[in-house]
Amino acid sequence: MAAAELLSDEGYRLDGRRPSELRKVRARMGVFEQADGSAYIEQGNTKALAVVYGPHELRGSRSRALPDRALVHCQYSLAAFSTSERRRRPPHGDRQTAELALHLRQTFEAAILTQLYPRSQIDIYVQILQADGGNYCAGVNAATLALMDAGIPMKDFVCASSAGLAADTALADLSWPEEAAGGPQLALALLPASGQIALLQLSARLHQQRLELALEAALAACRSLHAVLDAVVRERLRQASQALGD
Amino acid sequence: EVWQIRLDLHLLNHDGNIVDAASIAGIVALCHFRRPDVSVQGEEVTVYTPEERDPVPLSIHHMPICVSFAFFQQGTYLLVDPSEREERVMDGVLVIAMNKHQEICTIQSSGGIMLVKDQVLRCSKITGVKVAEMTELIQKALENDQKARKEGGKFGFAESIPNQKITAFKMESAAVDTNNLEEQAEEIITKAEPPAEVFTNPILHTPGTAQIGEGIENSWGELEESEREEVVEEEDESEAAGFEDQKMETEETKSTMEKSKDEPIVLSDSEEEEVVILEPQEPPKRTR
């Protein structure tokens, strides 16, 4: 397809990266004072913000409360100014964002130790401020950091990354021009310690024999991302303990 | 100018795994579809009717078919093509869509299940096998349908449903509780209202006639109208069903019966007794 454009002869991608190289990650936790937990992450030009409220008592219908575990409520929205042209579709309510919010909820319901907070609710709000490829994955990473900032116990980090294919080379962490080229794209969310895949989504055609290649690239990208996120959390912890005067 | 095609999927009965069934239905419908033939000469576009030129199939590059896997007990058990009962208790589902060239068209995992890379690869191999079988089945079905249309045989949804004939009408005998019947009857009688007052004074109009009570309003006028309406309705229905013949026959038999009350009624030889079943109209033969 557009494989020749995605990877030059010397093996450089459109933005000068190597095939298995991730974009620069900058993350910060605790950006808002009011929310229980918040985080901001930049992966290249993609900017995502996540805010967590909870665990708190159920608002509205108390009947929806689960007797043995917490309810996870997620909202995923793309800001109107996030794309090159102003979005005219509603931020919530359209099918794609509703589906992504559902995937978010399912992923984090499996990762959070919900049994510790029966009859309560945890809210996760993810907002994409700039969409330059890998929007959903950046959202997942931001949500992980926000949950850690809120102090909600989880089984493990949830690290997400996208991957694609150019001819026979796997590309990790796709940017928007690479996504728009129309080749196969894989989005994967991983719990690094156990190696369990919490979410797997593949679009466009990919030959079965190349599936393993793409999966491996995505898994490797998630593991590298885990190292970065881990460092961010430790730094935050160091700052917090300093502020407390330890 | 372009063609626009619209695919409507209706789920008639949900017994699990709607995704797979819907994907097969969708792709087969698109392969089965024929659009009118078109010829373009410069700026002029002529669309031919199905009678002028045979309709043309769509150009389908490949047939993606979904296969669903249900996971149980944190990935210990895996079931292909879950039924409705299995779906209710599963942890989550993994859907893989593939075509017969072993190209994966989409993978979606949902339900918050935790997968391992090997499980995903194993599932994709199973999908390859299933899709190959399914594609063969679909090709055969499409060929059969095309043959049936060419040879002028019966085709279509109505024909594919087997005829179910009722050969006997049987009713189970229902048991009636006859215990304490007398007591029940007594109860009903005592609970019922006592009869209205009896008019003891008959009014004598003329010798031989007497009037007891006032009587209620004559409702025979209404009855006649409703009967007429019923008859009109029946006639409308019967035109479509072809019952008119039968109705006329029964009326005639009634009239013959009335006339010949003295004679023994012989019904079996009467011509009017013959019941004629009208065949549904044959659909016009279409050559493909």
Side-chain angles (χ1 to χ4, degrees):
Chain A
M1 265 189 220
E5 300 161 18
L6 291 177
L7 203 62
S8 76
D9 293 326
E10 291 87 39
Y12 289 110
R13 289 153 76 170
L14 288 169
D15 50 6
R17 285 187 280 154
R18 287 267 167 207
S20 58
E21 211 181 310
L22 295 174
R23 291 174 290 182
K24 179 155 186 174
V25 179
R26 270 173 293 221
R28 181 167 303 164
M29 293 165 68
V31 280
F32 295 127
E33 293 300 321
Q34 299 289 64
D36 290 328
S38 56
Y40 171 73
I41 194 166
E42 275 181 29
Q43 278 182 252
N45 285 327
T46 305
K47 298 178 169 66
L49 187 65
V51 174
V52 168
Y53 289 94
H56 59 77
E57 202 182 342
L58 250 86
R59 304 218 178 92
S61 51
R62 301 275 158 82
S63 56
R64 280 192 301 128
L66 299 166
D68 57 340
R69 49 188 216 274
L71 199 72
V72 178
H73 171 249
C74 283
Q75 205 173 61
Y76 175 89
S77 73
L78 230 62
F81 46 81
S82 60
T83 44
S84 54
E85 271 187 23
R86 187 180 185 280
R87 271 169 57 93
R88 283 216 249 112
R89 276 183 294 157
H92 325 290
D94 75 320
R95 231 171 270 159
Q96 209 191 11
T97 47
E99 193 186 329
L100 291 170
L102 178 71
H103 282 305
L104 258 178
R105 182 172 69 81
Q106 287 171 344
T107 308
F108 283 104
E109 247 175 15
I112 299 172
L113 297 171
T114 48
Q115 290 88 359
L116 296 175
Y117 303 107
R119 305 195 66 84
S120 59
Q121 180 175 333
I122 300 173
D123 298 319
I124 307 175
Y125 300 104
V126 174
Q127 176 98 325
I128 306 294
L129 300 174
Q130 194 166 312
D132 190 40
N135 313 324
Y136 178 70
C137 299
V140 170
N141 297 328
T144 303
L145 288 178
L147 283 165
M148 298 223 161
D149 189 46
I152 295 173
M154 303 210 301
K155 288 186 189 136
D156 197 351
F157 279 81
V158 182
C159 304
S161 172
S162 59
L165 267 174
D168 274 325
T169 330
L171 308 171
D173 194 13
L174 301 173
S175 61
W176 190 79
E178 291 168 338
E179 278 185 2
Q185 293 163 36
L186 186 71
L188 191 142
L190 176 76
L191 271 67
S194 50
Q196 288 177 321
I197 300 170
L199 177 97
L200 179 59
Q201 258 182 313
L202 172 69
S203 58
R205 270 185 282 168
L206 172 71
H207 199 276
Q208 193 197 348
Q209 287 162 350
R210 302 225 218 107
L211 178 64
E212 186 165 3
L213 203 68
L215 270 177
E216 257 312 318
L219 289 169
C222 288
R223 285 190 209 108
S224 330
L225 204 65
H226 167 64
V228 177
L229 295 180
D230 191 73
V232 171
V233 175
R234 284 178 201 277
E235 175 62 29
R236 167 79 176 152
L237 208 60
R238 198 180 60 80
Q239 284 175 356
S241 60
Q242 251 183 10
L244 284 172
D246 281 342
Chain B
E1 277 184 19
V2 293
W3 289 106
Q4 187 192 56
I5 187 162
R6 183 187 157 116
L7 178 68
D8 283 318
L9 272 168
H10 288 270
L11 183 67
L12 299 176
N13 190 36
H14 177 24
D15 196 31
N17 204 5
I18 315 173
V19 177
D20 288 13
S23 76
I24 295 171
I27 194 65
V28 173
L30 287 169
C31 289
H32 188 251
F33 177 72
R34 300 283 183 269
R35 64 161 173 84
D37 197 5
V38 177
S39 75
V40 182
Q41 276 144 353
E43 288 294 319
E44 241 189 67
V45 177
T46 12
V47 180
Y48 297 107
T49 62
E51 286 82 38
E52 290 174 349
R53 276 211 206 166
D54 282 345
V56 169
L58 297 172
S59 43
I60 310 271
H61 298 301
H62 68 116
M63 303 214 292
I65 293 170
C66 293
V67 178
S68 299
F69 299 89
F71 286 86
F72 298 84
Q73 289 188 15
Q74 278 81 45
T76 330
Y77 297 103
L78 187 137
L79 291 179
V80 184
D81 189 15
S83 71
E84 208 250 327
R85 296 246 170 127
E86 291 158 359
E87 274 186 354
R88 274 194 244 168
V89 293
M90 68 182 177
D91 286 342
V93 70
L94 175 71
V95 181
I96 302 184
M98 217 192 256
N99 62 24
K100 70 171 184 207
H101 306 293
Q102 302 284 303
E103 289 174 333
I104 303 176
C105 304
T106 182
I107 302 185
Q108 285 241 330
S109 85
S110 68
I113 41 166
M114 296 297 178
L115 299 169
V116 190
K117 187 183 81 159
D118 299 318
Q119 283 177 320
V120 177
L121 294 171
R122 197 155 44 103
C123 289
S124 72
K125 291 202 181 82
I126 299 172
T127 310
V129 174
K130 294 276 167 201
V131 166
E133 288 172 13
M134 200 62 66
T135 316
E136 236 190 79
L137 250 164
I138 293 171
Q139 294 286 32
K140 246 188 263 176
L142 286 168
E143 276 168 23
N144 286 345
D145 176 82
Q146 200 164 2
K147 237 198 307 174
R149 282 179 195 256
K150 238 193 238 171
E151 292 167 3
K154 291 191 183 153
F155 53 85
F157 186 57
E159 292 302 325
S160 64
I161 300 175
N163 283 335
Q164 284 164 340
K165 300 191 182 94
I166 302 173
T167 52
F169 235 178
K170 189 176 169 199
M171 276 252 298
E172 300 289 339
S173 53
V176 176
D177 185 8
T178 50
N179 298 329
N180 308 325
L181 200 62
E182 283 180 1
E183 278 104 32
Q184 282 181 13
E186 284 283 317
E187 258 182 275
I188 293 168
I189 291 167
T190 48
K191 278 194 204 156
E193 283 175 19
E197 271 196 17
V198 182
F199 293 91
T200 48
N201 302 322
I203 304 164
L204 290 164
H205 293 286
T206 52
T209 64
Q211 181 184 333
I212 304 172
E214 290 292 314
I216 52 173
E217 217 179 77
N218 187 350
S219 61
W220 278 50
E222 292 164 2
L223 197 65
E224 275 176 9
E225 280 176 49
S226 62
E227 253 191 350
R228 250 183 269 132
E229 281 172 50
E230 276 179 9
V231 168
V232 167
E233 278 175 54
E234 272 183 12
E235 279 186 1
D236 288 338
E237 288 171 28
S238 62
E239 271 168 26
F243 270 108
E244 210 175 9
D245 296 328
Q246 284 191 0
K247 198 164 156 243
M248 276 162 54
E249 287 159 23
T250 50
E251 281 178 354
E252 280 174 64
T253 49
K254 270 193 217 155
S255 57
T256 50
M257 276 167 73
E258 283 171 13
K259 286 176 198 165
S260 55
K261 263 185 197 159
D262 305 315
E263 298 167 8
I265 299 158
V266 179
L267 297 165
S268 50
D269 289 333
S270 166
E271 275 182 56
E272 279 94 25
E273 264 304 300
E274 211 177 317
V275 177
V276 178
I277 300 170
L278 301 173
E279 287 288 336
Q281 269 197 327
E282 294 283 346
K285 287 188 187 177
R286 267 211 228 161
T287 47
R288 271 174 155 238

